[in-house]
Amino acid sequence: MNQEGQPSPSSSDLQLFYARIIDGGAKLGFVLLLVTFVIYVTGLLAPYVSLEEVPRYWSGPVAHYLKATRLNPGWTWVDKLKYGDFLNYFPIALMAGVIILGYLGLLWRFLRQGETIPSLIVVLQLLVLALAASGFLRAGGY
Amino acid sequence: MRVENFFKPLFALGLLAIWHGWGDSVPEGLAAVSHLRPETPSRAEPYPWWIWALVLFGFSFVVGILSLLGGMGGGTLFVSVVGSFLFFHLDFVRGASLLVALTGALSAGPGLLRYGMGNLRLSLPAGLMTSTGAIIGALLGLRVPTAVVQVALGLTILGVVILLLKAKRTDYPEVQKADELSRVLGIAGVYLDRALGREVPWQIHRTSLGLVMFGVIGFMAGLFGIGAGWANVLVLNLVMGVPLKVAVGTSKLIVCLTNTAAAWVYLHSGALLLILAVPSVLGMMLGSWAGVGILLRLAPIRLKVVVIALLLFAGARSLLKGLGVWS
């Protein structure tokens, strides 16, 4: 039996490779989220929607919030990263993107090993995630 | 410090929030845009934002403990409790919940992979199905009236209670012969079982049926903003014959894919309020860590009863809230 703290022999090299990517991205995203949230709540960067104003929207549907704050759904948040609240979207997008990064790594490894079927599944998965991340699919707007 | 004393201030905070959360009124500031959707459940807030951030943190902390002790992911418990008992709109609760479930799965996934408790090849086709279903569910969930989602959520939670009571999960399911699809996909493995002190080989069957079921699970996850790890485990273990420990680990990998897809849809749809999401993520993570310590002191059977009772109450509340009987 292997020692505590050591990877199991049943963990393949591929699994460890994927685990390293997710682990690094998730930790970086989490730390950045904490930093940007502190920046937001302390007012170091002025928010687009003030903290005092947020409670007016949180018990109504998302359509109300978007309309009342004149926000457009989709990737328009990137233009607003200079605001304290939207700055937090960056680490959130990082965490939501780390799996895509991991799958790109997997694709490279599968192709290098000549594994056709897993490569095909990974490509399909990347297409699905890219579609979700593209901003074309959204709801709750005006 | 006794466990009971530890919970007292959190329960007091929760009771205050629940008492305050019941009942709706429309604030003057939103009157001008109230024609957009039939439901206009916004309200004037007598307390500043940070009080509610603390309440959410406390709520999520307790939910984090209970979800760990109850052996399920945090998303389902979070949505059912926060969505049913607090006044935040379900759109934002689901957005926050997805982030909670995603960060939880991203935190746990790498460790489980390192110790061979999750199987990457098994998660590939399953994750493809759940993420596709999650996108459809998320798009639908943000379009249909909230009351419909609330009723469906209530029914689903009550279904989970029945599953938790009835389902007999098997540590080492017997799979006589691997099916053709699983062989083509190269899904089989060996994991180190520390309890047994040896490596356990495993293979799967009924792969096609399992994959279809994963599509449905993904749809539910996107619709309700949950991870649905409990459902993944049931399908992997009971339908496909994956050993329980591998099923639990692989479920986290699948949740990463499901919630990544759904989270992008919610993010791009604007259904993410940071004041709800970030304290919830922090509360859940700290609650999960604290839960490990508490787990050692309390009897598991009592904890399961607490979680089931809470789910039963939250499910009934969600159903009645959606039907307009108890709003």
Side-chain angles (χ1 to χ4, degrees):
Chain A
M1 197 168 137
N2 68 332
Q3 296 296 307
E4 204 62 54
Q6 295 297 311
S8 160
S10 51
S11 298
S12 70
D13 179 46
L14 190 72
Q15 294 208 162
L16 296 176
F17 168 76
Y18 182 63
R20 274 196 296 273
I21 296 175
I22 299 181
D23 199 29
K27 280 178 180 161
L28 179 65
F30 190 70
V31 170
L32 284 176
L33 184 63
L34 282 179
V35 172
T36 55
F37 190 67
V38 169
I39 291 172
Y40 171 41
V41 295
T42 55
L44 283 172
L45 267 181
Y48 181 80
V49 180
S50 75
L51 282 162
E52 288 70 27
E53 205 184 343
V54 173
R56 291 170 56 194
Y57 309 123
W58 64 25
S59 50
V62 65
H64 272 152
Y65 169 65
L66 294 174
K67 177 77 176 177
T69 55
R70 294 183 178 82
L71 282 170
N72 290 313
W75 278 97
T76 53
W77 59 266
V78 174
D79 302 331
K80 296 185 176 62
L81 285 175
K82 61 187 175 192
Y83 297 106
D85 43 0
F86 280 96
L87 186 64
N88 286 266
Y89 274 46
F90 175 70
I92 291 171
L94 180 68
M95 284 194 281
V98 69
I99 291 293
I100 297 175
L101 197 65
Y103 263 62
L104 284 170
L106 281 183
L107 179 62
W108 171 64
R109 292 288 292 260
F110 280 135
L111 287 174
R112 216 174 57 165
Q113 290 167 13
E115 294 198 56
T116 313
I117 292 175
S119 300
L120 188 65
I121 296 174
V122 169
V123 167
L124 288 173
Q125 182 68 77
L126 282 168
L127 287 174
V128 168
L129 294 179
L131 185 66
S134 68
F136 291 120
L137 303 176
R138 59 192 185 219
Y142 307 135
Chain B
M1 188 168 70
R2 288 169 62 85
V3 172
E4 289 81 358
N5 293 338
F6 179 72
F7 275 109
K8 273 177 188 169
L10 292 170
F11 274 123
L13 200 63
L15 284 174
L16 168 73
I18 290 169
W19 174 76
H20 182 80
W22 280 334
D24 291 321
S25 62
V26 180
E28 292 172 12
L30 286 179
V33 290
S34 62
H35 64 280
L36 283 172
R37 292 271 285 264
E39 65 244 92
T40 55
S42 283
R43 50 180 298 141
E45 290 307 331
Y47 302 116
W49 63 269
W50 57 268
I51 292 280
W52 293 111
L54 281 176
V55 166
L56 266 174
F57 176 80
F59 243 79
S60 307
F61 184 78
V62 175
V63 168
I65 293 171
L66 291 175
S67 63
L68 182 91
L69 304 183
M72 60 190 303
T76 304
L77 211 51
F78 181 87
V79 167
S80 59
V81 172
V82 177
S84 301
F85 296 123
L86 297 187
F87 55 81
F88 302 112
H89 195 274
L90 207 52
D91 287 352
F92 299 118
V93 174
R94 285 178 290 169
S97 170
L98 279 171
L99 201 61
V100 163
L102 178 62
T103 48
L106 285 174
S107 306
L112 293 164
L113 275 173
R114 282 195 192 101
Y115 294 105
M117 303 306 291
N119 187 273
L120 185 59
R121 286 179 190 272
L122 176 55
S123 74
L124 292 179
L128 179 60
M129 295 302 288
T130 58
S131 54
T132 307
I135 292 174
I136 299 166
L139 287 170
L140 188 71
L142 287 168
R143 283 177 198 277
V144 298
T146 308
V148 175
V149 180
Q150 196 92 52
V151 168
L153 176 64
L155 291 172
T156 304
I157 294 165
L158 294 176
V160 172
V161 170
I162 294 168
L163 282 174
L164 286 175
L165 289 170
K166 295 279 183 190
K168 298 272 185 284
R169 297 184 297 186
T170 317
D171 285 345
Y172 312 102
E174 197 175 324
V175 176
Q176 298 285 356
K177 188 181 173 207
D179 63 11
E180 187 59 32
L181 183 56
S182 74
R183 278 200 291 269
V184 170
L185 295 171
I187 301 171
V190 176
Y191 80 99
L192 178 68
D193 193 311
R194 289 173 195 277
L196 294 177
R198 65 179 172 84
E199 295 202 327
V200 178
W202 58 271
Q203 57 185 1
I204 63 169
H205 58 183
R206 296 195 286 263
T207 309
S208 311
L209 176 63
L211 292 179
V212 171
M213 293 175 91
F214 279 122
V216 178
I217 291 170
F219 176 78
M220 282 197 322
L223 185 68
F224 301 133
I226 59 177
W230 51 270
N232 291 337
V233 172
L234 287 178
V235 170
L236 288 168
N237 185 241
L238 295 179
V239 177
M240 299 170 80
V242 178
L244 190 55
K245 286 181 181 175
V246 180
V248 170
T250 306
S251 164
K252 288 287 180 193
L253 301 179
I254 299 169
V255 169
C256 287
L257 291 155
T258 316
N259 285 23
T260 291
W264 277 115
V265 176
Y266 276 74
L267 182 74
H268 285 314
S269 301
L272 197 66
L273 279 185
L274 299 160
I275 288 299
L276 270 73
V278 181
S280 304
V281 168
L282 294 176
M284 282 289 292
M285 293 193 85
L286 291 176
S288 300
W289 291 334
V292 175
I294 297 169
L295 189 62
L296 302 172
R297 300 192 210 177
L298 295 181
I301 187 70
R302 282 175 59 192
L303 299 167
K304 194 177 176 186
V305 169
V306 169
V307 171
I308 287 175
L310 188 63
L311 279 174
L312 194 61
F313 191 39
R317 161 82 176 140
S318 182
L319 181 63
L320 296 174
K321 192 177 176 182
L323 292 171
V325 176
W326 184 13
S327 55

